[in-house]
Amino acid sequence: MASLGGARARVAELGEIRRSVQEGPSAAATEAQHNRGKLTARERIELLLDEGSFTEVEQLRRHRAVGFGLEAKKPHTDGVVTGWGTVHGRTVFVYAHDFRIFGGALGEAHAQKIHKLMDLAEAAGAPLVSLNDGAGARIQEGVSALAGYGGIFQRNTRSSGVIPQISVMLGPCAGGAAYSPALTDFVFMVRDIAQMFITGPDVVQAVTGEKISQNGLGGADVHSEISGVSHFAYDDEQSCLADVRYLLSLLPQNNREMSPVEKSCDPPDRRCEKLLDLVPADANRAYDMRSVVEELVDDGEYFEIQPGWAGNILCVLARLDGHVTGIVANQPQSLAGVLDIHASEKAARFVQMCDAFNIPLVSLVDVPGFLPGVDQEHEGIIRHGAKLLYAYCNATVPRIQVILRKAYGGAYIVMDSRSIGTDLSFAWPTNEIAVMGAEGAANVIFRRDIAGSQDPDATRAQKIKEYKSELMHPYYAAERGLVDDVIDPVETRAVLIRSLAMLRLKHVELPSRKHGNPPV
């Protein structure tokens, strides 16, 4: 009986410890976190995961460091909450920095907890979400903290393309710590409370003399609109984490599975009559490609990736007949839809992600070419454009190209043409597939005729018309097998769904190799 009473006492003691751990270091620390406009680590996990699904790992872990007063301060969790739960009923692993403990700074024990969770996520074949709110390496622990980051980076890389990895930036992330989010598939940031940079404003000012705020240097809008480091920016944590949940619903658990299929009430053979009015026949008139995507996909619902960066190309995840599909589309409303350095990088990364996780690709093409300019050439448009070319050529998922209007020059080839391996290519009757636009081509081919004419303008107009009728009529590419069919725009949705269903079991054997050498 005495031993039984002792067991009850131990259980009561354990319960008290767990309650203390879940409450955090102190009410004052929690209040200070809220006063910064931020939620606590556990509040964030509750928003991310299904209610009551979280199972914590190493809740009682403490650091073993000594010196600089650390031996007198050994809080449970060591500043990071780790475990797993479910999102829409599917397993997801998560770790969240607790800024109330050591400012969320990473020490040896802290890092080992993250390493263990990352290993579990890879072994279980389930997505990993990191909720980042930490002050970088724990200086008091010296090089042990730096080695902890190295272990995280190595695991990020090993799991790349194996399980989805999502970084959510909910506080500061400076120095080497910023490289872990950069290695993951998606980065979410919340305005005002999240910043990412390698060297902070003080160092920048000391070295270069430039004065800038933390948000001006590495805030959410900077990284989602200028640098392209972040895929999404939000005004609050609640909407941010809601979209993380939505994104997870579109992704498979790992690279061996397919994305979840949802039954759609949107008929697969629905005719898209609006497309006839949305896309002008005049190739020089702009329109919003988002309206085209909205008309094609199930219930008009899609999730745009990096909407604030490289707006001349769209990358979206959507469903067609309930099946998740990645859509890459030129955006005529921005820079006439040309491909430039940023657009090429954005689309290449998206294509690689879709290919890694078995998501079919549809390319909606309306591209006048690559952006000309000295800056583009000097900054490496050849190398960066080759990234998109490499990504498409290397992709083994089902690939379908639809040419809406313009498809000129090298940009036509790069946008998943038949010549680089797309499975099916369709074109609308408004398509113009050519080496370049008729005006430019006529000026080159008929330069002498135009120069020697008594009426150069009339001759130029006649030669442009002649070039269009000979080499740019809607059926020229189809007659040569470069397009599989010229389709009625209103049937595009039905054609895509039928084609993707046929390609669902597509299998490609790649040459034996360690890995390719893309133009990174």
Side-chain angles (χ1 to χ4, degrees):
M1 296 295 292
S3 62
L4 185 60
R8 288 198 175 97
R10 293 290 187 181
V11 171
E13 180 186 33
L14 174 62
E16 186 58 37
I17 292 172
R18 291 196 186 283
R19 279 191 294 274
S20 174
V21 172
Q22 293 191 8
E23 287 173 1
S26 69
T30 300
E31 183 180 3
Q33 178 77 346
H34 289 161
N35 288 340
R36 296 185 192 99
K38 300 195 291 186
L39 300 175
T40 66
R42 295 183 186 279
E43 289 169 342
R44 289 162 172 166
I45 290 173
E46 287 178 6
L47 283 174
L48 174 67
L49 300 178
D50 297 338
E51 185 176 355
S53 69
F54 182 56
T55 299
E56 191 168 352
V57 177
E58 294 198 29
Q59 184 185 63
L60 306 182
R61 185 71 180 263
R62 287 172 159 168
H63 72 76
R64 298 176 295 179
V66 295
F68 306 101
L70 284 177
E71 64 273 11
K73 189 177 182 183
K74 295 188 175 184
H76 290 108
T77 73
D78 200 42
V80 63
V81 181
T82 59
W84 75 87
T86 60
V87 173
H88 303 299
R90 299 191 302 155
T91 300
V92 172
F93 288 81
V94 59
Y95 68 86
H97 299 296
D98 193 338
F99 196 82
R100 300 171 299 172
I101 298 175
F102 299 126
L106 182 138
E108 183 182 28
H110 182 124
Q112 288 174 352
K113 287 182 65 175
I114 295 174
H115 296 169
K116 178 174 182 175
L117 191 83
M118 296 177 80
D119 292 340
L120 281 172
E122 182 186 345
L128 174 70
V129 178
S130 63
L131 306 179
N132 298 273
D133 185 8
R138 196 174 299 168
I139 300 171
Q140 301 94 320
E141 294 194 30
V143 72
S144 295
L146 293 179
Y149 275 121
I152 292 173
F153 303 156
Q154 192 268 342
R155 287 167 173 82
N156 284 139
T157 305
R158 190 176 67 194
S159 293
S160 180
V162 178
I163 57 172
Q165 298 180 81
I166 299 173
S167 298
V168 187
M169 314 311 297
L170 303 168
C173 186
Y179 284 117
S180 177
L183 290 169
T184 59
D185 300 302
F186 298 97
V187 178
F188 290 71
M189 293 186 76
V190 176
R191 293 182 178 92
D192 298 328
I193 64 172
Q195 301 87 28
M196 295 173 66
F197 37 70
I198 300 302
T199 55
D202 293 341
V203 176
V204 169
Q205 184 175 358
V207 174
T208 70
E210 298 170 290
K211 293 186 68 174
I212 193 168
S213 67
Q214 288 195 349
N215 280 320
L217 182 63
D221 289 326
V222 168
H223 286 310
S224 62
E225 297 175 9
I226 299 174
S227 74
V229 171
S230 175
H231 296 75
F232 310 97
Y234 297 87
D235 291 326
D236 58 80
E237 297 188 44
Q238 289 81 358
S239 58
C240 175
L241 292 170
D243 266 5
V244 174
R245 286 176 58 87
Y246 181 59
L247 175 59
L248 286 166
S249 75
L250 297 169
L251 299 175
Q253 289 292 89
N254 54 64
N255 64 340
R256 302 182 302 277
E257 298 184 11
M258 304 295 288
S259 295
V261 179
E262 288 190 0
K263 184 173 176 59
S264 175
C265 296
D266 196 345
D269 58 352
R270 171 172 57 81
R271 290 172 62 82
C272 304
E273 302 285 350
K274 291 182 181 178
L275 293 178
L276 297 174
D277 299 318
L278 287 174
V279 181
D282 181 355
N284 293 317
R285 287 182 58 194
Y287 63 95
D288 189 353
M289 184 64 84
R290 290 185 182 90
S291 300
V292 175
V293 173
E294 186 176 336
E295 182 66 16
L296 291 174
V297 303
D298 291 355
D299 303 311
E301 186 175 310
Y302 61 89
F303 192 60
E304 186 173 353
I305 310 299
Q306 292 185 295
W309 186 62
N312 40 324
I313 200 159
L314 303 180
C315 298
V316 309
L317 291 172
R319 283 189 162 87
L320 286 168
D321 197 28
H323 295 267
V324 176
T325 305
I327 299 175
V328 180
N330 306 111
Q331 172 58 295
Q333 204 172 53
S334 176
L335 295 175
V338 297
L339 289 177
D340 62 1
I341 288 173
H342 288 167
S344 299
E345 287 188 330
K346 172 180 171 178
R349 179 92 169 144
F350 180 74
V351 168
Q352 288 176 163
M353 184 279 299
C354 289
D355 187 50
F357 294 116
N358 309 314
I359 298 173
L361 286 161
V362 170
S363 301
L364 303 179
V365 182
D366 191 346
V367 62
F370 281 94
L371 181 64
V374 174
D375 288 346
Q376 287 287 304
E377 296 293 345
H378 286 185
E379 290 172 17
I381 183 60
I382 296 172
R383 178 168 53 87
H384 293 287
K387 292 178 183 179
L388 179 55
L389 179 60
Y390 188 99
Y392 268 127
C393 290
N394 202 47
T396 61
V397 292
R399 292 153 51 189
I400 300 175
Q401 179 194 53
V402 181
I403 301 167
L404 280 61
R405 293 194 313 186
K406 304 181 297 295
Y408 295 162
Y412 154 64
I413 300 295
V414 170
M415 285 298 296
D416 208 18
S417 63
R418 279 290 299 275
S419 60
I420 67 169
T422 195
D423 296 297
L424 292 168
S425 177
F426 301 104
W428 288 5
T430 47
N431 80 81
E432 293 183 3
I433 305 172
V435 175
M436 63 175 66
E439 291 79 3
N443 287 336
V444 172
I445 298 172
F446 306 110
R447 180 176 62 253
R448 292 181 179 177
D449 293 344
I450 294 171
S453 173
Q454 293 182 347
D455 188 348
D457 290 339
T459 302
R460 181 181 293 106
Q462 175 60 33
K463 295 302 183 182
I464 289 172
K465 184 177 180 181
E466 181 181 326
Y467 182 84
K468 282 186 173 181
S469 65
E470 287 291 326
L471 296 177
M472 291 181 66
H473 63 79
Y475 312 105
Y476 184 86
E479 290 169 357
R480 284 151 183 81
L482 298 174
V483 166
D484 291 292
D485 196 10
V486 178
I487 62 173
D488 184 341
V490 304
E491 297 175 352
T492 305
R493 171 178 163 84
V495 168
L496 287 175
I497 289 174
R498 286 198 304 270
S499 301
L500 289 170
M502 178 273 292
L503 290 167
R504 199 149 289 139
L505 298 180
K506 174 188 174 182
H507 177 73
V508 176
E509 289 287 348
L510 293 175
S512 177
R513 62 181 176 182
K514 189 173 183 180
H515 57 73
N517 186 20
V520 295

